[in-house]
Amino acid sequence: MSISTKHNVTVEKVSKSRIDEIDFDNLVFGTTFSDHMFECDYKDGSWQNPTIRPYGPLTISPAAKVFHYGQAVFEGMKAFKDDNGNAFLFRPKDNFKRINISAKRMAIPEFPEEIFFEAMHRLMELDKAWIRPGFGNSLYIRPFAIATQAGVSAAPSDQYKFMILLSPAQAYYTGDVRVVFAEKFSRSANGGVGYAKAAGNYGAQFYPTNLAREKGFQQIIWTDANTHEYLEEAGTMNIFFRVNDTLITAPTGDRILDGITRKSVLKIAEHMGITCDVRPVSVKEIVAAVKDGSLKEIFGSGTAAIISPISAFGYQEEVYELPKSNTRYSDRFKQALMEIQYNKGEDPFDWRYPVG
């Protein structure tokens, strides 16, 4: 996949890289950032002054509307490096398309494709050394847009800032995860913003997730807001269930994010000849399946964790352990995804995007 870019991005390089100060063997996800970042401002009706400059703080009014009305959207992407030092993104056009879908829902002006990909190429050129090779290593990429107009009137902003940050990363989850089925809280509702990567979606998850952690679970599998009878997402991930040899996942819509890893898993499963069933998944069905032994595995999918196997779930004060297996679909999918991402195998779907 290739995209030609014509827009000029101003570049201000760091005088000295900080890379030698970084302990790449002990990274805490999302807390270390590379030398450069990208920013572009929307004002007077257009996006202008696209600039790459040294990573550092912003000066922003405390009255900026992002603080008062939550006009903020983001994406999560990764860059990978193969054993020959070549760098790749994974399905970046899907991320670009999705951030503009999110932006439109939050009344934020859509960002131009040519500037997005020019910025991405230039950032990768500058900070390629921050991408370490080897399975589990990556450069997490965080594009986001925020409302910057000063004013506390309840109306959309007329000024915005679009930025891209780069953060070196290792494996997000190192073991299987224990989850609890939500019985009271929901992630989103019909007609809401669940399908968008709006910042407020994630902030609203923190409190119920903290309650789950107090009971020994790492994450929540969210249920529908109307009845709490249907399973929809797991924490910040899409969710999959394997019942016998069929892979089941909930359909996307108003409430469920159109996950790029989710779409990739479904495509790989189809390629492997695995039966997939995209439909509503009830709590009762999964509880019955774990009791009769037909539930073989549950796993989440997302950019940060890629694939996150689930070892047990809690529901109505009972904990159900999932069977241990050496033939999990989740392991096969993760291996297939990583072989594409790290250029270790064929890419029959044209998902690899070279950036240097």
Side-chain angles (χ1 to χ4, degrees), residues 72-76 98 102 140 142 172 187 193-209 222 233-238 255-259:
V73 297
F74 69 93
E75 267 301 318
R98 192 171 62 183
S102 300
Y140 184 78
R142 172 52 62 91
Y172 192 58
R187 178 185 174 275
V193 297
Y195 68 92
K197 286 188 75 72
N201 288 351
Y202 298 82
Q205 295 183 32
F206 296 155
Y207 173 67
T209 302
W222 304 103
E233 289 196 7
T236 58
M237 301 179 289
N238 293 113
R255 304 190 304 272
I256 298 177
L257 186 72
D258 186 14

mmCIF file of all heavy atoms in Angstrom, residues 72-76 98 102 140 142 172 187 193-209 222 233-238 255-259:
data_model
loop_
_atom_site.group_PDB
_atom_site.id
_atom_site.type_symbol
_atom_site.label_atom_id
_atom_site.label_comp_id
_atom_site.label_asym_id
_atom_site.label_seq_id
_atom_site.Cartn_x
_atom_site.Cartn_y
_atom_site.Cartn_z
ATOM 1 N N ALA A 72 -13.036 15.877 22.093
ATOM 2 C CA ALA A 72 -11.729 15.252 21.915
ATOM 3 C C ALA A 72 -11.919 13.852 21.360
ATOM 4 O O ALA A 72 -12.764 13.098 21.844
ATOM 5 C CB ALA A 72 -10.967 15.199 23.246
ATOM 6 N N VAL A 73 -11.128 13.520 20.345
ATOM 7 C CA VAL A 73 -11.142 12.176 19.756
ATOM 8 C C VAL A 73 -9.705 11.731 19.555
ATOM 9 O O VAL A 73 -8.786 12.550 19.497
ATOM 10 C CB VAL A 73 -11.901 12.138 18.410
ATOM 11 C CG1 VAL A 73 -13.366 12.494 18.608
ATOM 12 C CG2 VAL A 73 -11.257 13.055 17.370
ATOM 13 N N PHE A 74 -9.503 10.414 19.448
ATOM 14 C CA PHE A 74 -8.143 9.921 19.277
ATOM 15 C C PHE A 74 -8.152 8.611 18.510
ATOM 16 O O PHE A 74 -9.185 7.999 18.277
ATOM 17 C CB PHE A 74 -7.453 9.758 20.640
ATOM 18 C CG PHE A 74 -8.010 8.649 21.486
ATOM 19 C CD1 PHE A 74 -7.456 7.376 21.456
ATOM 20 C CD2 PHE A 74 -9.081 8.882 22.342
ATOM 21 C CE1 PHE A 74 -7.964 6.353 22.239
ATOM 22 C CE2 PHE A 74 -9.600 7.865 23.132
ATOM 23 C CZ PHE A 74 -9.034 6.599 23.077
ATOM 24 N N GLU A 75 -6.954 8.172 18.151
ATOM 25 C CA GLU A 75 -6.746 6.868 17.522
ATOM 26 C C GLU A 75 -5.589 6.164 18.205
ATOM 27 O O GLU A 75 -4.778 6.794 18.900
ATOM 28 C CB GLU A 75 -6.443 7.012 16.026
ATOM 29 C CG GLU A 75 -7.659 6.913 15.139
ATOM 30 C CD GLU A 75 -8.403 5.599 15.281
ATOM 31 O OE1 GLU A 75 -7.751 4.532 15.363
ATOM 32 O OE2 GLU A 75 -9.641 5.622 15.308
ATOM 33 N N GLY A 76 -5.499 4.858 17.998
ATOM 34 C CA GLY A 76 -4.362 4.077 18.462
ATOM 35 C C GLY A 76 -3.811 3.280 17.291
ATOM 36 O O GLY A 76 -4.542 2.532 16.643
ATOM 37 N N ARG A 98 -11.264 6.155 10.526
ATOM 38 C CA ARG A 98 -12.022 6.094 11.774
ATOM 39 C C ARG A 98 -11.904 7.362 12.595
ATOM 40 O O ARG A 98 -12.875 7.790 13.231
ATOM 41 C CB ARG A 98 -11.604 4.868 12.599
ATOM 42 C CG ARG A 98 -12.553 4.587 13.750
ATOM 43 C CD ARG A 98 -12.236 3.255 14.411
ATOM 44 N NE ARG A 98 -10.901 3.229 14.993
ATOM 45 C CZ ARG A 98 -10.360 2.170 15.576
ATOM 46 N NH1 ARG A 98 -11.027 1.034 15.633
ATOM 47 N NH2 ARG A 98 -9.139 2.222 16.083
ATOM 48 N N SER A 102 -15.022 9.553 13.967
ATOM 49 C CA SER A 102 -15.139 10.006 15.358
ATOM 50 C C SER A 102 -15.255 11.529 15.422
ATOM 51 O O SER A 102 -16.081 12.078 16.162
ATOM 52 C CB SER A 102 -13.931 9.541 16.167
ATOM 53 O OG SER A 102 -13.818 8.139 16.186
ATOM 54 N N TYR A 140 4.013 2.837 19.609
ATOM 55 C CA TYR A 140 2.593 3.170 19.679
ATOM 56 C C TYR A 140 2.408 4.595 19.170
ATOM 57 O O TYR A 140 3.153 5.509 19.541
ATOM 58 C CB TYR A 140 2.089 3.041 21.113
ATOM 59 C CG TYR A 140 0.611 3.284 21.253
ATOM 60 C CD1 TYR A 140 -0.299 2.293 20.889
ATOM 61 C CD2 TYR A 140 0.129 4.492 21.732
ATOM 62 C CE1 TYR A 140 -1.669 2.511 21.009
ATOM 63 C CE2 TYR A 140 -1.229 4.718 21.854
ATOM 64 C CZ TYR A 140 -2.125 3.732 21.485
ATOM 65 O OH TYR A 140 -3.477 3.953 21.594
ATOM 66 N N ARG A 142 -0.254 7.810 18.665
ATOM 67 C CA ARG A 142 -1.489 8.384 19.192
ATOM 68 C C ARG A 142 -1.841 9.679 18.443
ATOM 69 O O ARG A 142 -1.425 10.764 18.813
ATOM 70 C CB ARG A 142 -1.343 8.653 20.689
ATOM 71 C CG ARG A 142 -2.472 9.428 21.368
ATOM 72 C CD ARG A 142 -3.851 8.863 21.132
ATOM 73 N NE ARG A 142 -4.017 7.522 21.638
ATOM 74 C CZ ARG A 142 -4.450 7.221 22.863
ATOM 75 N NH1 ARG A 142 -4.742 8.172 23.716
ATOM 76 N NH2 ARG A 142 -4.608 5.949 23.210
ATOM 77 N N TYR A 172 1.557 -5.249 25.952
ATOM 78 C CA TYR A 172 0.641 -4.506 26.826
ATOM 79 C C TYR A 172 0.182 -5.350 28.006
ATOM 80 O O TYR A 172 0.282 -4.944 29.151
ATOM 81 C CB TYR A 172 -0.550 -4.036 25.993
ATOM 82 C CG TYR A 172 -1.442 -3.032 26.675
ATOM 83 C CD1 TYR A 172 -0.926 -1.817 27.127
ATOM 84 C CD2 TYR A 172 -2.793 -3.273 26.855
ATOM 85 C CE1 TYR A 172 -1.739 -0.871 27.736
ATOM 86 C CE2 TYR A 172 -3.621 -2.335 27.458
ATOM 87 C CZ TYR A 172 -3.089 -1.145 27.897
ATOM 88 O OH TYR A 172 -3.894 -0.218 28.501
ATOM 89 N N ARG A 187 -21.062 0.688 28.733
ATOM 90 C CA ARG A 187 -20.082 1.519 28.056
ATOM 91 C C ARG A 187 -20.756 2.580 27.189
ATOM 92 O O ARG A 187 -20.270 3.704 27.079
ATOM 93 C CB ARG A 187 -19.172 0.635 27.195
ATOM 94 C CG ARG A 187 -18.136 1.383 26.391
ATOM 95 C CD ARG A 187 -17.350 0.450 25.482
ATOM 96 N NE ARG A 187 -16.464 1.208 24.621
ATOM 97 C CZ ARG A 187 -16.842 1.743 23.471
ATOM 98 N NH1 ARG A 187 -18.080 1.606 23.050
ATOM 99 N NH2 ARG A 187 -15.972 2.434 22.742
ATOM 100 N N VAL A 193 -22.272 7.704 21.400
ATOM 101 C CA VAL A 193 -20.978 7.858 20.735
ATOM 102 C C VAL A 193 -20.098 6.621 20.916
ATOM 103 O O VAL A 193 -18.877 6.691 20.784
ATOM 104 C CB VAL A 193 -20.242 9.124 21.226
ATOM 105 C CG1 VAL A 193 -21.029 10.364 20.879
ATOM 106 C CG2 VAL A 193 -19.987 9.075 22.737
ATOM 107 N N GLY A 194 -20.717 5.477 21.198
ATOM 108 C CA GLY A 194 -19.946 4.263 21.438
ATOM 109 C C GLY A 194 -19.097 3.841 20.262
ATOM 110 O O GLY A 194 -18.029 3.252 20.441
ATOM 111 N N TYR A 195 -19.541 4.154 19.036
ATOM 112 C CA TYR A 195 -18.789 3.760 17.849
ATOM 113 C C TYR A 195 -17.616 4.686 17.570
ATOM 114 O O TYR A 195 -16.768 4.392 16.724
ATOM 115 C CB TYR A 195 -19.715 3.717 16.621
ATOM 116 C CG TYR A 195 -20.212 5.080 16.180
ATOM 117 C CD1 TYR A 195 -19.520 5.821 15.224
ATOM 118 C CD2 TYR A 195 -21.377 5.629 16.704
ATOM 119 C CE1 TYR A 195 -19.964 7.063 14.815
ATOM 120 C CE2 TYR A 195 -21.839 6.860 16.299
ATOM 121 C CZ TYR A 195 -21.131 7.580 15.348
ATOM 122 O OH TYR A 195 -21.582 8.810 14.950
ATOM 123 N N ALA A 196 -17.556 5.810 18.254
ATOM 124 C CA ALA A 196 -16.477 6.784 18.062
ATOM 125 C C ALA A 196 -15.403 6.598 19.132
ATOM 126 O O ALA A 196 -15.693 6.155 20.244
ATOM 127 C CB ALA A 196 -17.034 8.203 18.128
ATOM 128 N N LYS A 197 -14.168 6.947 18.782
ATOM 129 C CA LYS A 197 -13.107 6.946 19.798
ATOM 130 C C LYS A 197 -13.062 8.338 20.424
ATOM 131 O O LYS A 197 -12.131 9.120 20.236
ATOM 132 C CB LYS A 197 -11.764 6.542 19.185
ATOM 133 C CG LYS A 197 -11.692 5.047 18.889
ATOM 134 C CD LYS A 197 -10.308 4.596 18.471
ATOM 135 C CE LYS A 197 -9.314 4.516 19.606
ATOM 136 N NZ LYS A 197 -9.567 3.376 20.520
ATOM 137 N N ALA A 198 -14.141 8.632 21.144
ATOM 138 C CA ALA A 198 -14.251 9.894 21.868
ATOM 139 C C ALA A 198 -13.628 9.718 23.251
ATOM 140 O O ALA A 198 -13.828 8.691 23.907
ATOM 141 C CB ALA A 198 -15.715 10.299 21.997
ATOM 142 N N ALA A 199 -12.884 10.723 23.687
ATOM 143 C CA ALA A 199 -12.144 10.599 24.940
ATOM 144 C C ALA A 199 -13.054 10.267 26.114
ATOM 145 O O ALA A 199 -12.703 9.461 26.980
ATOM 146 C CB ALA A 199 -11.376 11.893 25.206
ATOM 147 N N GLY A 200 -14.251 10.865 26.146
ATOM 148 C CA GLY A 200 -15.155 10.648 27.269
ATOM 149 C C GLY A 200 -15.623 9.218 27.418
ATOM 150 O O GLY A 200 -15.953 8.784 28.528
ATOM 151 N N ASN A 201 -15.653 8.462 26.315
ATOM 152 C CA ASN A 201 -16.026 7.045 26.404
ATOM 153 C C ASN A 201 -15.123 6.301 27.374
ATOM 154 O O ASN A 201 -15.560 5.407 28.107
ATOM 155 C CB ASN A 201 -15.907 6.368 25.033
ATOM 156 C CG ASN A 201 -16.987 6.780 24.068
ATOM 157 O OD1 ASN A 201 -17.932 7.455 24.445
ATOM 158 N ND2 ASN A 201 -16.851 6.387 22.817
ATOM 159 N N TYR A 202 -13.850 6.648 27.338
ATOM 160 C CA TYR A 202 -12.845 5.913 28.106
ATOM 161 C C TYR A 202 -12.781 6.427 29.541
ATOM 162 O O TYR A 202 -12.614 5.638 30.476
ATOM 163 C CB TYR A 202 -11.497 6.001 27.387
ATOM 164 C CG TYR A 202 -11.598 5.342 26.026
ATOM 165 C CD1 TYR A 202 -12.134 6.028 24.942
ATOM 166 C CD2 TYR A 202 -11.230 4.023 25.842
ATOM 167 C CE1 TYR A 202 -12.288 5.418 23.705
ATOM 168 C CE2 TYR A 202 -11.373 3.396 24.610
ATOM 169 C CZ TYR A 202 -11.909 4.104 23.550
ATOM 170 O OH TYR A 202 -12.073 3.483 22.338
ATOM 171 N N GLY A 203 -12.925 7.728 29.713
ATOM 172 C CA GLY A 203 -12.950 8.272 31.062
ATOM 173 C C GLY A 203 -14.096 7.703 31.883
ATOM 174 O O GLY A 203 -13.959 7.444 33.086
ATOM 175 N N ALA A 204 -15.236 7.461 31.231
ATOM 176 C CA ALA A 204 -16.404 6.943 31.941
ATOM 177 C C ALA A 204 -16.230 5.491 32.361
ATOM 178 O O ALA A 204 -16.978 4.997 33.214
ATOM 179 C CB ALA A 204 -17.642 7.089 31.057
ATOM 180 N N GLN A 205 -15.254 4.793 31.781
ATOM 181 C CA GLN A 205 -15.021 3.394 32.134
ATOM 182 C C GLN A 205 -14.193 3.211 33.406
ATOM 183 O O GLN A 205 -14.191 2.126 33.998
ATOM 184 C CB GLN A 205 -14.292 2.683 30.987
ATOM 185 C CG GLN A 205 -15.092 2.581 29.711
ATOM 186 C CD GLN A 205 -14.333 1.812 28.644
ATOM 187 O OE1 GLN A 205 -13.561 0.911 28.944
ATOM 188 N NE2 GLN A 205 -14.559 2.162 27.387
ATOM 189 N N PHE A 206 -13.469 4.231 33.784
ATOM 190 C CA PHE A 206 -12.480 4.057 34.842
ATOM 191 C C PHE A 206 -13.101 3.650 36.184
ATOM 192 O O PHE A 206 -12.579 2.779 36.877
ATOM 193 C CB PHE A 206 -11.655 5.339 35.024
ATOM 194 C CG PHE A 206 -10.817 5.707 33.825
ATOM 195 C CD1 PHE A 206 -10.437 7.022 33.612
ATOM 196 C CD2 PHE A 206 -10.409 4.751 32.907
ATOM 197 C CE1 PHE A 206 -9.659 7.371 32.521
ATOM 198 C CE2 PHE A 206 -9.647 5.091 31.801
ATOM 199 C CZ PHE A 206 -9.276 6.407 31.608
ATOM 200 N N TYR A 207 -14.212 4.299 36.568
ATOM 201 C CA TYR A 207 -14.806 4.001 37.878
ATOM 202 C C TYR A 207 -15.298 2.559 37.975
ATOM 203 O O TYR A 207 -14.901 1.830 38.910
ATOM 204 C CB TYR A 207 -15.927 4.993 38.187
ATOM 205 C CG TYR A 207 -16.691 4.646 39.441
ATOM 206 C CD1 TYR A 207 -16.078 4.719 40.694
ATOM 207 C CD2 TYR A 207 -18.021 4.243 39.373
ATOM 208 C CE1 TYR A 207 -16.769 4.385 41.843
ATOM 209 C CE2 TYR A 207 -18.722 3.914 40.518
ATOM 210 C CZ TYR A 207 -18.098 3.991 41.754
ATOM 211 O OH TYR A 207 -18.790 3.656 42.900
ATOM 212 N N PRO A 208 -16.143 2.066 37.043
ATOM 213 C CA PRO A 208 -16.562 0.661 37.166
ATOM 214 C C PRO A 208 -15.402 -0.320 37.030
ATOM 215 O O PRO A 208 -15.421 -1.392 37.659
ATOM 216 C CB PRO A 208 -17.592 0.479 36.046
ATOM 217 C CG PRO A 208 -17.434 1.645 35.153
ATOM 218 C CD PRO A 208 -16.878 2.753 35.963
ATOM 219 N N THR A 209 -14.375 0.041 36.252
ATOM 220 C CA THR A 209 -13.207 -0.836 36.149
ATOM 221 C C THR A 209 -12.461 -0.904 37.472
ATOM 222 O O THR A 209 -11.976 -1.975 37.881
ATOM 223 C CB THR A 209 -12.271 -0.370 35.021
ATOM 224 O OG1 THR A 209 -12.999 -0.355 33.784
ATOM 225 C CG2 THR A 209 -11.077 -1.303 34.879
ATOM 226 N N TRP A 222 -18.459 -5.376 28.954
ATOM 227 C CA TRP A 222 -19.621 -4.497 29.027
ATOM 228 C C TRP A 222 -20.846 -5.175 28.427
ATOM 229 O O TRP A 222 -20.764 -5.922 27.457
ATOM 230 C CB TRP A 222 -19.341 -3.183 28.282
ATOM 231 C CG TRP A 222 -18.130 -2.489 28.795
ATOM 232 C CD1 TRP A 222 -16.893 -2.450 28.217
ATOM 233 C CD2 TRP A 222 -18.025 -1.754 30.008
ATOM 234 N NE1 TRP A 222 -16.025 -1.740 28.995
ATOM 235 C CE2 TRP A 222 -16.689 -1.294 30.101
ATOM 236 C CE3 TRP A 222 -18.923 -1.422 31.025
ATOM 237 C CZ2 TRP A 222 -16.246 -0.531 31.165
ATOM 238 C CZ3 TRP A 222 -18.473 -0.652 32.089
ATOM 239 C CH2 TRP A 222 -17.144 -0.223 32.157
ATOM 240 N N GLU A 233 -18.345 -5.445 24.595
ATOM 241 C CA GLU A 233 -16.907 -5.174 24.502
ATOM 242 C C GLU A 233 -16.246 -5.550 25.811
ATOM 243 O O GLU A 233 -16.903 -5.667 26.845
ATOM 244 C CB GLU A 233 -16.629 -3.702 24.168
ATOM 245 C CG GLU A 233 -16.993 -3.303 22.763
ATOM 246 C CD GLU A 233 -16.357 -1.978 22.364
ATOM 247 O OE1 GLU A 233 -15.530 -1.448 23.124
ATOM 248 O OE2 GLU A 233 -16.689 -1.482 21.278
ATOM 249 N N ALA A 234 -14.919 -5.694 25.768
ATOM 250 C CA ALA A 234 -14.157 -6.032 26.976
ATOM 251 C C ALA A 234 -13.184 -4.906 27.279
ATOM 252 O O ALA A 234 -12.181 -4.743 26.586
ATOM 253 C CB ALA A 234 -13.394 -7.337 26.779
ATOM 254 N N GLY A 235 -13.474 -4.107 28.297
ATOM 255 C CA GLY A 235 -12.610 -2.985 28.612
ATOM 256 C C GLY A 235 -12.537 -2.045 27.430
ATOM 257 O O GLY A 235 -13.539 -1.485 26.980
ATOM 258 N N THR A 236 -11.351 -1.892 26.874
ATOM 259 C CA THR A 236 -11.169 -1.063 25.685
ATOM 260 C C THR A 236 -10.983 -1.931 24.443
ATOM 261 O O THR A 236 -10.476 -1.452 23.418
ATOM 262 C CB THR A 236 -9.945 -0.148 25.862
ATOM 263 O OG1 THR A 236 -8.781 -0.954 26.104
ATOM 264 C CG2 THR A 236 -10.126 0.787 27.039
ATOM 265 N N MET A 237 -11.370 -3.185 24.505
ATOM 266 C CA MET A 237 -11.162 -4.125 23.402
ATOM 267 C C MET A 237 -12.493 -4.661 22.876
ATOM 268 O O MET A 237 -13.486 -4.692 23.588
ATOM 269 C CB MET A 237 -10.306 -5.312 23.867
ATOM 270 C CG MET A 237 -8.937 -4.947 24.406
ATOM 271 S SD MET A 237 -8.014 -6.409 24.944
ATOM 272 C CE MET A 237 -8.940 -6.843 26.431
ATOM 273 N N ASN A 238 -12.481 -5.091 21.625
ATOM 274 C CA ASN A 238 -13.579 -5.919 21.128
ATOM 275 C C ASN A 238 -13.447 -7.314 21.736
ATOM 276 O O ASN A 238 -12.374 -7.706 22.181
ATOM 277 C CB ASN A 238 -13.548 -6.004 19.606
ATOM 278 C CG ASN A 238 -13.848 -4.674 18.935
ATOM 279 O OD1 ASN A 238 -12.975 -4.093 18.291
ATOM 280 N ND2 ASN A 238 -15.065 -4.187 19.069
ATOM 281 N N ARG A 255 -23.144 1.286 19.444
ATOM 282 C CA ARG A 255 -22.560 1.053 20.764
ATOM 283 C C ARG A 255 -21.172 0.428 20.725
ATOM 284 O O ARG A 255 -20.476 0.436 21.739
ATOM 285 C CB ARG A 255 -23.478 0.141 21.592
ATOM 286 C CG ARG A 255 -24.894 0.639 21.762
ATOM 287 C CD ARG A 255 -25.671 -0.183 22.780
ATOM 288 N NE ARG A 255 -25.693 -1.595 22.465
ATOM 289 C CZ ARG A 255 -26.598 -2.174 21.685
ATOM 290 N NH1 ARG A 255 -27.540 -1.441 21.120
ATOM 291 N NH2 ARG A 255 -26.574 -3.475 21.473
ATOM 292 N N ILE A 256 -20.783 -0.136 19.605
ATOM 293 C CA ILE A 256 -19.567 -0.943 19.573
ATOM 294 C C ILE A 256 -18.586 -0.401 18.545
ATOM 295 O O ILE A 256 -18.950 -0.151 17.384
ATOM 296 C CB ILE A 256 -19.903 -2.419 19.272
ATOM 297 C CG1 ILE A 256 -20.796 -2.976 20.392
ATOM 298 C CG2 ILE A 256 -18.634 -3.255 19.142
ATOM 299 C CD1 ILE A 256 -21.257 -4.396 20.168
ATOM 300 N N LEU A 257 -17.358 -0.228 18.967
ATOM 301 C CA LEU A 257 -16.312 0.315 18.098
ATOM 302 C C LEU A 257 -15.986 -0.651 16.966
ATOM 303 O O LEU A 257 -15.893 -1.862 17.173
ATOM 304 C CB LEU A 257 -15.053 0.566 18.929
ATOM 305 C CG LEU A 257 -13.903 1.275 18.207
ATOM 306 C CD1 LEU A 257 -14.243 2.746 17.984
ATOM 307 C CD2 LEU A 257 -12.617 1.145 19.001
ATOM 308 N N ASP A 258 -15.807 -0.106 15.784
ATOM 309 C CA ASP A 258 -15.413 -0.895 14.615
ATOM 310 C C ASP A 258 -13.900 -1.115 14.691
ATOM 311 O O ASP A 258 -13.115 -0.457 14.019
ATOM 312 C CB ASP A 258 -15.806 -0.149 13.342
ATOM 313 C CG ASP A 258 -15.558 -0.974 12.082
ATOM 314 O OD1 ASP A 258 -15.332 -2.197 12.203
ATOM 315 O OD2 ASP A 258 -15.573 -0.384 10.981
ATOM 316 N N GLY A 259 -13.502 -2.067 15.528
ATOM 317 C CA GLY A 259 -12.088 -2.286 15.817
ATOM 318 C C GLY A 259 -11.320 -2.801 14.605
ATOM 319 O O GLY A 259 -11.768 -3.721 13.913
#
